[in-house]
Amino acid sequence: MTEPVGALDLARLRRDRIAKLDAAMGNAGVDTLVLCGQQNVSYASGARVPAADHARASWWRAVAVLERGAPWPHLYTGFRDGAPDDLPDEFLHRAIEVETATGAAELARLIPGGRSAIDDASFPLWESLRPREVVDASAVLAPAKLTKTPDELECIRRAQAINEQAMRTVRPLAVPGVRATDLSGAFLRAIAELGATANTVDPVFQVMPRSVATGPYSITGEPVFPIPTRAEELNAGDVVWLDTGINLHGYASDFGATWIVGREPDDTERDQFARWRAIVDRALERVKPGATAADLVAAAGVEHGRRPWLSYFYLAHGIGTDSAEMPFVSTDLGDAFDAALTLQPGMVLVFEPVVWDDGHAGHRSEEIVAVTREGYRRLSARAELDEGAVS
């Protein structure tokens, strides 16, 4: 029976993720997966990890250890309330301080023999595992995360819907005299009221210069984005680029748009949006299983090595438990990487090319789609993107 769009079963989502990790471990010849990166711990176990400032976060790490063929990972955490309700008690343990030599040695003794894969390990843990055969966990995590299950796709869709609804609340507030940081505050309040699990991207409301020369600009001679939102008042005619991302059940959203403050867009700004729309639509025409990232780049309009968008931006990137993850399309990884990346059902793509006309600023928006057996379906609301782009 096919699940209707909108159905979400978090227990099934967790079981399916463990099954994907187990399959990837088998393909990589890995016996035990050791995870210290907090997003990866959440992916494997379903555990929530409390936010902490940078100075304390590493000391409050949760750790997950998944043995091949096991139904659950062992979760070591100081935040037991964050463990999913269906995690059996025998797999839930007190926290281990892997930043210390004593804690790292304790965890190493608990890890079964055989070939281990590990991600964001502390130096003491690497030292404790030195005698063993250890490989990078990306060999397991990357293939497991590359395609999403229906439940994962629904989490991303719901996260994006919350993000977009919050931005509908914020848009009328973007008027001359309002501080950009006030927009951030309104956005954060809105997502909390709408049920977001957390905020994952500091809200960006960046007033863009009309030309590169007025800066800030990069060493490649292009405008810099993003920079932290500042407590500066918006002025009539400002071109504001947005970037926000929230978290729902461990999955990220990604909202980008261009707002014109205090007036209607002029002919150049409308043309910039039309060019952005055309780039994305040309690429979307090629989105289907079996197409390569290189096919999307070619369709988007790259000729003789020149892109019709700013060079340091992706044409598209993936999204899931990270706000930017595989697949990556048109990056500095090069043409060979694009040619080797083949689209599969369940992959998610966030299109975000940037159109720039020096002297007239530019346009940036984002649109999220999931690859299906027949082509793709949108996880973001295209009408909302269009409205945000030209209003």
Side-chain angles (χ1 to χ4, degrees), residues 100-132:
T100 68
T102 300
E106 179 185 358
L107 180 62
R109 287 193 295 271
L110 295 169
I111 298 172
R115 193 173 192 229
S116 297
I118 191 163
D119 64 344
D120 187 20
S122 64
F123 287 116
L125 184 54
W126 277 114
E127 186 65 26
S128 295
L129 295 174
R130 183 185 294 275
R132 305 188 182 206

Tab-separated table of all heavy atoms in Angstrom, residues 100-132:
chain	number	residue	atom	x	y	z
A	100	THR	N	38.470	12.920	26.977
A	100	THR	CA	39.522	12.586	27.939
A	100	THR	C	40.131	11.238	27.599
A	100	THR	O	39.488	10.369	26.988
A	100	THR	CB	38.966	12.527	29.367
A	100	THR	OG1	38.073	11.407	29.481
A	100	THR	CG2	38.211	13.808	29.711
A	101	ALA	N	41.386	11.038	28.012
A	101	ALA	CA	42.054	9.768	27.754
A	101	ALA	C	41.333	8.618	28.452
A	101	ALA	O	41.194	7.516	27.894
A	101	ALA	CB	43.506	9.840	28.204
A	102	THR	N	40.855	8.876	29.679
A	102	THR	CA	40.154	7.830	30.433
A	102	THR	C	38.854	7.439	29.744
A	102	THR	O	38.549	6.248	29.574
A	102	THR	CB	39.873	8.309	31.862
A	102	THR	OG1	41.107	8.615	32.515
A	102	THR	CG2	39.133	7.239	32.652
A	103	GLY	N	38.071	8.450	29.344
A	103	GLY	CA	36.810	8.163	28.678
A	103	GLY	C	37.005	7.490	27.334
A	103	GLY	O	36.270	6.551	26.973
A	104	ALA	N	37.999	7.955	26.575
A	104	ALA	CA	38.263	7.351	25.269
A	104	ALA	C	38.667	5.889	25.413
A	104	ALA	O	38.221	5.017	24.645
A	104	ALA	CB	39.351	8.136	24.549
A	105	ALA	N	39.499	5.598	26.406
A	105	ALA	CA	39.924	4.217	26.625
A	105	ALA	C	38.739	3.347	27.036
A	105	ALA	O	38.635	2.174	26.631
A	105	ALA	CB	41.012	4.176	27.690
A	106	GLU	N	37.830	3.906	27.838
A	106	GLU	CA	36.632	3.155	28.254
A	106	GLU	C	35.778	2.806	27.040
A	106	GLU	O	35.320	1.665	26.896
A	106	GLU	CB	35.821	3.984	29.246
A	106	GLU	CG	34.546	3.293	29.703
A	106	GLU	CD	33.694	4.169	30.598
A	106	GLU	OE1	34.099	5.321	30.899
A	106	GLU	OE2	32.598	3.722	30.998
A	107	LEU	N	35.556	3.790	26.145
A	107	LEU	CA	34.749	3.512	24.962
A	107	LEU	C	35.440	2.496	24.066
A	107	LEU	O	34.794	1.585	23.530
A	107	LEU	CB	34.485	4.806	24.185
A	107	LEU	CG	33.631	4.638	22.914
A	107	LEU	CD1	32.248	4.109	23.257
A	107	LEU	CD2	33.518	5.966	22.164
A	108	ALA	N	36.748	2.616	23.910
A	108	ALA	CA	37.487	1.677	23.057
A	108	ALA	C	37.322	0.244	23.555
A	108	ALA	O	37.222	-0.698	22.747
A	108	ALA	CB	38.965	2.063	23.014
A	109	ARG	N	37.274	0.063	24.879
A	109	ARG	CA	37.098	-1.295	25.422
A	109	ARG	C	35.709	-1.841	25.120
A	109	ARG	O	35.521	-3.064	25.049
A	109	ARG	CB	37.337	-1.274	26.938
A	109	ARG	CG	38.800	-1.117	27.339
A	109	ARG	CD	38.988	-1.418	28.824
A	109	ARG	NE	38.294	-0.458	29.680
A	109	ARG	CZ	38.811	0.674	30.120
A	109	ARG	NH1	40.056	1.005	29.787
A	109	ARG	NH2	38.116	1.482	30.904
A	110	LEU	N	34.733	-0.956	24.950
A	110	LEU	CA	33.362	-1.385	24.692
A	110	LEU	C	33.098	-1.696	23.227
A	110	LEU	O	32.094	-2.315	22.886
A	110	LEU	CB	32.381	-0.302	25.162
A	110	LEU	CG	32.341	-0.032	26.668
A	110	LEU	CD1	31.539	1.229	26.964
A	110	LEU	CD2	31.742	-1.231	27.399
A	111	ILE	N	33.985	-1.241	22.346
A	111	ILE	CA	33.797	-1.449	20.912
A	111	ILE	C	34.266	-2.854	20.546
A	111	ILE	O	35.405	-3.225	20.832
A	111	ILE	CB	34.576	-0.391	20.100
A	111	ILE	CG1	34.042	1.003	20.417
A	111	ILE	CG2	34.467	-0.677	18.605
A	111	ILE	CD1	34.872	2.117	19.804
A	112	PRO	N	33.403	-3.648	19.918
A	112	PRO	CA	33.811	-5.016	19.561
A	112	PRO	C	34.986	-5.010	18.587
A	112	PRO	O	35.290	-4.000	17.951
A	112	PRO	CB	32.547	-5.597	18.902
A	112	PRO	CG	31.428	-4.714	19.361
A	112	PRO	CD	32.019	-3.350	19.545
A	113	GLY	N	35.606	-6.156	18.462
A	113	GLY	CA	36.714	-6.296	17.525
A	113	GLY	C	36.234	-6.251	16.089
A	113	GLY	O	35.035	-6.175	15.802
A	114	GLY	N	37.166	-6.326	15.173
A	114	GLY	CA	36.830	-6.245	13.759
A	114	GLY	C	37.130	-4.872	13.199
A	114	GLY	O	37.793	-4.042	13.823
A	115	ARG	N	36.620	-4.614	12.029
A	115	ARG	CA	36.874	-3.353	11.330
A	115	ARG	C	35.855	-2.307	11.770
A	115	ARG	O	34.645	-2.541	11.687
A	115	ARG	CB	36.786	-3.582	9.826
A	115	ARG	CG	37.336	-2.443	8.974
A	115	ARG	CD	37.346	-2.872	7.523
A	115	ARG	NE	38.108	-1.980	6.690
A	115	ARG	CZ	37.657	-1.476	5.542
A	115	ARG	NH1	36.438	-1.774	5.113
A	115	ARG	NH2	38.429	-0.689	4.818
A	116	SER	N	36.348	-1.165	12.226
A	116	SER	CA	35.476	-0.092	12.707
A	116	SER	C	35.527	1.100	11.766
A	116	SER	O	36.558	1.372	11.135
A	116	SER	CB	35.883	0.364	14.110
A	116	SER	OG	35.743	-0.680	15.050
A	117	ALA	N	34.416	1.821	11.683
A	117	ALA	CA	34.353	3.090	10.965
A	117	ALA	C	33.983	4.163	11.976
A	117	ALA	O	33.091	3.955	12.816
A	117	ALA	CB	33.318	3.031	9.845
A	118	ILE	N	34.664	5.294	11.916
A	118	ILE	CA	34.459	6.330	12.908
A	118	ILE	C	34.404	7.690	12.222
A	118	ILE	O	35.049	7.897	11.193
A	118	ILE	CB	35.579	6.288	13.976
A	118	ILE	CG1	35.233	7.174	15.168
A	118	ILE	CG2	36.931	6.628	13.397
A	118	ILE	CD1	36.068	6.871	16.399
A	119	ASP	N	33.617	8.614	12.803
A	119	ASP	CA	33.484	9.916	12.151
A	119	ASP	C	34.291	10.992	12.863
A	119	ASP	O	35.489	11.124	12.661
A	119	ASP	CB	32.015	10.307	11.987
A	119	ASP	CG	31.283	10.493	13.315
A	119	ASP	OD1	31.798	10.047	14.361
A	119	ASP	OD2	30.197	11.101	13.313
A	120	ASP	N	33.667	11.756	13.730
A	120	ASP	CA	34.282	12.943	14.320
A	120	ASP	C	34.899	12.593	15.675
A	120	ASP	O	34.453	13.057	16.719
A	120	ASP	CB	33.223	14.038	14.470
A	120	ASP	CG	33.805	15.361	14.906
A	120	ASP	OD1	35.019	15.554	14.723
A	120	ASP	OD2	33.047	16.194	15.428
A	121	ALA	N	35.933	11.773	15.658
A	121	ALA	CA	36.513	11.288	16.912
A	121	ALA	C	37.431	12.331	17.526
A	121	ALA	O	38.057	13.132	16.830
A	121	ALA	CB	37.288	10.001	16.667
A	122	SER	N	37.517	12.291	18.841
A	122	SER	CA	38.482	13.133	19.552
A	122	SER	C	39.879	12.534	19.380
A	122	SER	O	40.050	11.359	19.052
A	122	SER	CB	38.127	13.187	21.038
A	122	SER	OG	38.237	11.885	21.610
A	123	PHE	N	40.912	13.342	19.633
A	123	PHE	CA	42.280	12.827	19.543
A	123	PHE	C	42.525	11.678	20.519
A	123	PHE	O	43.146	10.673	20.154
A	123	PHE	CB	43.280	13.961	19.772
A	123	PHE	CG	43.376	14.910	18.608
A	123	PHE	CD1	43.006	16.231	18.735
A	123	PHE	CD2	43.831	14.467	17.377
A	123	PHE	CE1	43.084	17.102	17.661
A	123	PHE	CE2	43.926	15.330	16.297
A	123	PHE	CZ	43.551	16.662	16.433
A	124	PRO	N	42.041	11.761	21.777
A	124	PRO	CA	42.234	10.618	22.669
A	124	PRO	C	41.580	9.336	22.163
A	124	PRO	O	42.128	8.243	22.339
A	124	PRO	CB	41.611	11.074	23.990
A	124	PRO	CG	41.709	12.571	23.957
A	124	PRO	CD	41.479	12.927	22.524
A	125	LEU	N	40.414	9.476	21.510
A	125	LEU	CA	39.749	8.274	21.004
A	125	LEU	C	40.531	7.684	19.829
A	125	LEU	O	40.695	6.456	19.735
A	125	LEU	CB	38.317	8.590	20.585
A	125	LEU	CG	37.474	7.388	20.126
A	125	LEU	CD1	37.463	6.287	21.169
A	125	LEU	CD2	36.047	7.833	19.792
A	126	TRP	N	41.031	8.530	18.939
A	126	TRP	CA	41.865	8.019	17.855
A	126	TRP	C	43.081	7.271	18.423
A	126	TRP	O	43.475	6.217	17.929
A	126	TRP	CB	42.347	9.160	16.960
A	126	TRP	CG	41.363	9.594	15.917
A	126	TRP	CD1	40.716	10.786	15.830
A	126	TRP	CD2	40.897	8.830	14.795
A	126	TRP	NE1	39.879	10.829	14.746
A	126	TRP	CE2	39.980	9.635	14.091
A	126	TRP	CE3	41.170	7.544	14.334
A	126	TRP	CZ2	39.325	9.197	12.937
A	126	TRP	CZ3	40.519	7.106	13.170
A	126	TRP	CH2	39.615	7.927	12.491
A	127	GLU	N	43.663	7.835	19.456
A	127	GLU	CA	44.838	7.207	20.072
A	127	GLU	C	44.467	5.853	20.670
A	127	GLU	O	45.213	4.874	20.538
A	127	GLU	CB	45.412	8.128	21.144
A	127	GLU	CG	46.717	7.659	21.751
A	127	GLU	CD	47.862	7.637	20.751
A	127	GLU	OE1	47.815	8.415	19.766
A	127	GLU	OE2	48.799	6.823	20.933
A	128	SER	N	43.296	5.791	21.322
A	128	SER	CA	42.872	4.532	21.940
A	128	SER	C	42.572	3.464	20.900
A	128	SER	O	42.674	2.262	21.187
A	128	SER	CB	41.630	4.775	22.809
A	128	SER	OG	41.933	5.624	23.896
A	129	LEU	N	42.171	3.886	19.690
A	129	LEU	CA	41.828	2.928	18.645
A	129	LEU	C	42.989	2.641	17.702
A	129	LEU	O	42.833	1.900	16.720
A	129	LEU	CB	40.638	3.458	17.828
A	129	LEU	CG	39.317	3.591	18.592
A	129	LEU	CD1	38.273	4.265	17.716
A	129	LEU	CD2	38.811	2.231	19.042
A	130	ARG	N	44.171	3.205	18.000
A	130	ARG	CA	45.304	3.081	17.088
A	130	ARG	C	45.624	1.624	16.706
A	130	ARG	O	45.927	1.336	15.540
A	130	ARG	CB	46.536	3.748	17.712
A	130	ARG	CG	47.754	3.749	16.805
A	130	ARG	CD	48.972	4.310	17.527
A	130	ARG	NE	48.815	5.705	17.853
A	130	ARG	CZ	49.095	6.702	17.017
A	130	ARG	NH1	49.552	6.423	15.807
A	130	ARG	NH2	48.946	7.956	17.382
A	131	PRO	N	45.585	0.663	17.655
A	131	PRO	CA	45.975	-0.712	17.269
A	131	PRO	C	44.967	-1.388	16.346
A	131	PRO	O	45.256	-2.451	15.792
A	131	PRO	CB	46.049	-1.444	18.608
A	131	PRO	CG	46.094	-0.374	19.655
A	131	PRO	CD	45.320	0.764	19.097
A	132	ARG	N	43.773	-0.802	16.185
A	132	ARG	CA	42.718	-1.469	15.442
A	132	ARG	C	42.686	-1.018	13.975
A	132	ARG	O	43.270	-0.012	13.605
A	132	ARG	CB	41.360	-1.179	16.076
A	132	ARG	CG	41.276	-1.542	17.541
A	132	ARG	CD	39.852	-1.397	17.997
A	132	ARG	NE	39.701	-1.680	19.416
A	132	ARG	CZ	38.571	-2.100	19.963
A	132	ARG	NH1	37.515	-2.288	19.210
A	132	ARG	NH2	38.504	-2.322	21.261
